[in-house]
Amino acid sequence: MKLYTIALVALLPCLAATPDVDKGKTLGLPTAPIRMEIFGDFTCLHCRLLHEETLPLLMKEFVVTGKLYIIDRAFPLTGPPHQYSREAFGYAVAAARIGKYQEVADALYAHQQTWAQAGNVWDCVTAVLKNPADQKKVKDLSKDPGVLAEIEAEYQEGVQAGVNVTPTMIVTAGGKRYPLPPAPNYELLRSMLNGFLPK
Amino acid sequence: MDFYQNRALRAILLAIRIVLGAVFVYGGYVKLQAPWALFGMAIDSYHLVPLRYIEPLARTIPWFEVALGLLLIFGWLLRISATTVSLTLAIFFAAMLHAFLNHQEINCGCFGPGEPISKWTLLRDGSMLAGSLFLTWMALRSPRRMA
């Protein structure tokens, strides 16, 4: 996660996200030639693999170099294995409002198997948000209608975009949108992204 | 009875040729409009082809589909083109069926991204395969050019 921190510190002054984007949930420059929206769920195994294995590679090769702008989108799943998904998104989006989204997202994915079964989502969040003031803000914000509306709006946006499985990445480049198959091979993903860049 | 003197049958065979040909041309065209790696990811998601073959396949299959589609539409080399279309559809159908039976939540990749494999896609491709096999059978048993 050191890579994230370096990248975020380097890029924070440049973050001027477009209006439809919660800038707390983005990585990179909004002016990057390629934009990638990731519709994911904190309870989904493949989303965790994407977050922990593919995302660091994308960060190093494309985000830090200003080629790629990544936006995390909420796509809470429903049903028995995902019953705490919305609660987790509530805390994550609330954390984004105080600039702590990446830390909370990292923790939620890292301890996915624990809280997704036991339901102690808040314990996972407080383990990474040490400051009591931050904890109170996130706790309060997680029930804020604006936060809940943002989660629902992103979910609906995903449904409208044809998202039917998580994680779904939608790449926009040259004015065209390309939904990618779930969990793509990194070599193929890299080839595709490089193909969008000027030679 | 000589089937080729039957106007209704000739019309059916022509319709199959045109529909299958148009579907192949459209499928190839859609893939050619997107980066090859996108179709490569769709092929890779089936987990049936080693990674080193993905790029050559992803780059050539769309052109192959367009060429086969045009051959069918214009009725050129019909025995060869119909047989090749049947073999191609049989491979596609088998791959989709394998993914469906193994509960792989993947996209078909038939006409670009965003189409999950379902009973509907299997029915559609199965119907195309049936039509193609019928066309092939008729083409192979005929000494003459059909329709």
Side-chain angles (χ1 to χ4, degrees):
Chain A
M1 291 308 104
K2 194 186 277 183
L3 188 63
Y4 281 110
T5 314
I6 295 166
L8 277 174
V9 168
L11 298 172
L12 264 176
C14 311
L15 285 177
T18 46
D20 61 327
V21 172
D22 179 347
K23 66 180 180 182
K25 293 159 57 186
T26 64
L27 293 167
L29 298 168
T31 52
I34 311 170
R35 169 174 155 151
M36 177 187 283
E37 293 165 83
I38 302 175
F39 289 88
D41 180 284
F42 290 115
T43 59
C44 132
L45 173 65
H46 286 101
C47 301
R48 178 163 70 86
L49 296 176
L50 174 75
H51 187 82
E52 294 181 346
E53 293 175 10
T54 308
L55 207 54
L57 299 173
L58 286 171
M59 283 294 296
K60 188 176 175 185
E61 198 168 352
F62 293 97
V63 176
V64 176
T65 52
K67 299 169 186 168
L68 179 65
Y69 180 52
I70 296 178
I71 305 161
D72 262 1
R73 299 287 199 194
F75 198 80
L77 300 171
T78 52
H82 313 291
Q83 60 265 49
Y84 304 110
S85 180
R86 287 238 172 206
E87 185 183 349
F89 272 112
Y91 297 137
V93 174
R97 301 283 166 97
I98 63 163
K100 303 277 185 189
Y101 176 79
Q102 292 301 335
E103 292 92 321
V104 170
D106 289 347
L108 286 170
Y109 278 123
H111 305 288
Q112 181 191 72
Q113 287 180 325
T114 310
W115 63 260
Q117 287 180 9
N120 54 341
V121 191
W122 182 242
D123 293 344
C124 177
V125 175
T126 53
V128 67
L129 287 181
K130 304 284 187 194
N131 185 335
D134 285 346
Q135 289 180 10
K136 184 176 184 323
K137 280 183 201 166
V138 167
K139 188 80 172 174
D140 292 345
L141 278 168
S142 69
K143 296 176 185 111
D144 183 80
V147 166
L148 301 176
E150 180 180 324
I151 296 165
E152 184 58 25
E154 290 193 345
Y155 176 77
Q156 291 302 333
E157 192 181 325
V159 171
Q160 296 239 323
V163 175
N164 47 43
V165 64
T166 56
T168 291
M169 291 183 270
I170 299 180
V171 171
T172 305
K176 287 186 176 175
R177 274 163 71 91
Y178 303 97
L180 309 189
N185 174 279
Y186 184 71
E187 292 304 313
L188 294 170
L189 182 59
R190 174 204 271 156
S191 293
M192 182 176 154
L193 296 179
N194 278 327
F196 290 131
L197 297 170
K199 300 283 181 280
Chain B
M1 184 181 105
D2 184 346
F3 282 114
Y4 298 101
Q5 288 172 358
N6 182 327
R7 290 181 68 181
L9 185 64
R10 283 170 64 114
I12 290 169
L13 290 172
L14 178 65
I16 292 174
R17 257 180 47 207
I18 301 288
V19 170
L20 276 180
V23 167
F24 265 68
V25 169
Y26 175 72
Y29 173 78
V30 168
K31 291 175 191 107
L32 289 170
Q33 293 304 299
W36 69 265
L38 191 61
F39 182 45
M41 289 175 202
I43 299 173
D44 186 51
S45 63
Y46 282 88
H47 300 303
L48 293 172
V49 179
L51 190 60
R52 64 180 178 277
Y53 298 125
I54 297 285
E55 182 173 351
L57 283 174
R59 285 186 185 276
T60 52
I61 285 176
W63 290 107
F64 180 69
E65 286 180 323
V66 170
L68 269 181
L70 291 175
L71 285 175
L72 273 189
I73 289 170
F74 292 107
W76 296 328
L77 306 170
L78 196 57
R79 289 176 169 205
I80 296 170
S81 59
T83 307
T84 311
V85 164
S86 292
L87 284 173
T88 307
L89 282 172
I91 293 167
F92 289 170
F93 185 75
M96 286 170 62
L97 189 64
H98 177 268
F100 184 76
L101 294 177
N102 284 290
H103 308 287
Q104 285 177 264
E105 289 182 350
I106 61 173
N107 288 325
C108 151
C110 312
F111 302 101
E115 189 187 18
I117 292 176
S118 63
K119 286 176 184 168
W120 155 243
T121 52
L122 285 170
L123 180 67
R124 183 195 61 200
D125 277 44
S127 305
M128 285 168 52
L129 176 60
S132 169
L133 288 171
F134 180 59
L135 184 69
T136 305
W137 179 58
M138 296 304 286
L140 290 177
R141 72 192 293 272
S142 165
R144 293 178 293 175
R145 184 172 176 268
M146 289 189 303

